[in-house]
Amino acid sequence: MKKIYILYPKKIATIAPEIYGHFTEHIGGVIYGGIWVGKGSHIPNIKGFRKYIVEKLREIKAPVIRWPGGCFAETYDWRDGIGNNRPIRPNWWKNEDGKYETNEVGTHEFMDFCEAVGAKAYFAANLTSTTPMDIRNWMDYCLSPQGTTTLAMEREKNGHPQPFNIPYWGVGNENWGGGGNMTPEYYTNEYRKYSTVMKNTAPNVSLFMCGENGADYHWTNTLAQNLGSVHADGYSMHCYYGHLGNVINFTQKEWYDVLSQTVIMDEIINKNWNIICANNQEDKLKLVIDEWGCWHPAGSGPSKGAKLYEQQSTMRDAMTAALTLNVFNNNCEKIKMANIAQLVNNIHSLFLAEGENCITTPTYHVFNMYKEHQGGEAIELIITDNHSFENSISASASVKDGKTLITICNVSCSEDVKISLEGVGADIPQGAEGILLYNEDIRAYNTFESPDNIAPSSVSIDITKPITIPKAGILAIRF
């Protein structure tokens, strides 16, 4: 039996709600047919956005949504997405799926979505193919007070007199790759130029540097060394798992191979943070993990490949999300924000949609089970007898409003695990609320016909006694 010691006096930090953020890009079926159905659609909607998704995001207290990319941002002109008679442009992903961008969803529409959900907006600004003046004008249009500038008056004519609330701006996206194939030295100089103009335009917003891909520590070190006294509020980094075996019919070995990559996430977080601290930039470059998730081969989703990168979501994907969120919680003093990629009809999605049909994936349920960690004070845990990954458990805990939430994952896909909880510095009461996400079949997934193949269930728990977590089960306990 494994024992979890909850070390109440050893507080880590507050878990920023933004760690539970999301990401929507103009790719495949994420926007059109995903969150957006159109204002005239017979599908229930709120200002054109699928009502079911809006309401479900409210339920999990979605804190922030990133837009418009991703790689789509590399060639995006914000003026294409405002006013009437919007142009049709080549989408960044056209060479892969042949689709063009109608710009039906632009700045106003996306902000309608955020306002309906109750989430903050995080805009990825195009540093690749626009000038600092272009971004300055976009910020002027979005953020200037009513009636103060020509662009603010244009915004008012387009239906939004008051400035939008857009507190977060990414200065570029993946500039080591599709965002210009820049060297870290070149990007740092570009960041210094663009961020100077952006900060002058909107002094109160947060600006995020484009950080590394995976484990490119040279990029991190170069940026941290050369940033100097230039302003920054966060360090964006991307990390994907997967590409190991069949999306649905994976082997037990492939179950562990994918899940073990979450250990690499913990390593990447800490190595990057150590580099940032070594360069005395920890006050400016808290981590913004604004793209993360499982990226499997496409074609397993309901559209059978018609929607680019759409994939089905099994218990393996739910477990990967749960393990990763535990990693984030346990490193929350280093992390400002994180955004799972992507929201619907794509990689590691919380939703799958087609026409009138829309379902939640197992990953959605993980976010629902973990939502009370947002804004909680993370506390340290010690887990005994937890050395072998294939027979390990992952856990994180937080305290908020006088209640403790502990989320525990049984990594093993073949054996149940028995655990006990012990409080250090505080007593653990007898009564507790338990929610379990579990399916006997680790390859199970939800479909339009059977949307609740994998769904959470309430369980009765006496946490003063040993608790059994079934194989590949995810358990949330609140007391």
Side-chain angles (χ1 to χ4, degrees), residues 38 65-66 171 209 269 453:
I65 306 172
R66 182 174 180 244
V171 188
M209 287 193 86
I269 287 170
N453 279 340

Side-chain angles (χ1 to χ4, degrees), residues 209-236:
M209 287 193 86
C210 171
E212 49 116 63
N213 178 32
D216 184 357
Y217 303 118
H218 171 67
W219 182 281
T220 303
N221 192 50
T222 303
L223 266 60
Q225 282 184 343
N226 294 297
L227 179 62
S229 61
V230 175
H231 185 90
D233 299 287
Y235 179 78
S236 161

Side-chain angles (χ1 to χ4, degrees), residues 361-397:
T361 68
T363 296
Y364 172 87
H365 297 309
V366 171
F367 275 78
N368 202 14
M369 293 166 65
Y370 278 57
K371 65 187 177 186
E372 293 303 331
H373 278 308
Q374 295 183 37
E377 190 79 18
I379 50 181
E380 288 191 21
L381 303 174
I382 294 177
I383 305 173
T384 65
D385 190 25
N386 208 41
H387 307 296
S388 169
F389 180 77
E390 293 186 6
N391 294 298
S392 68
I393 61 173
S394 162
S396 65

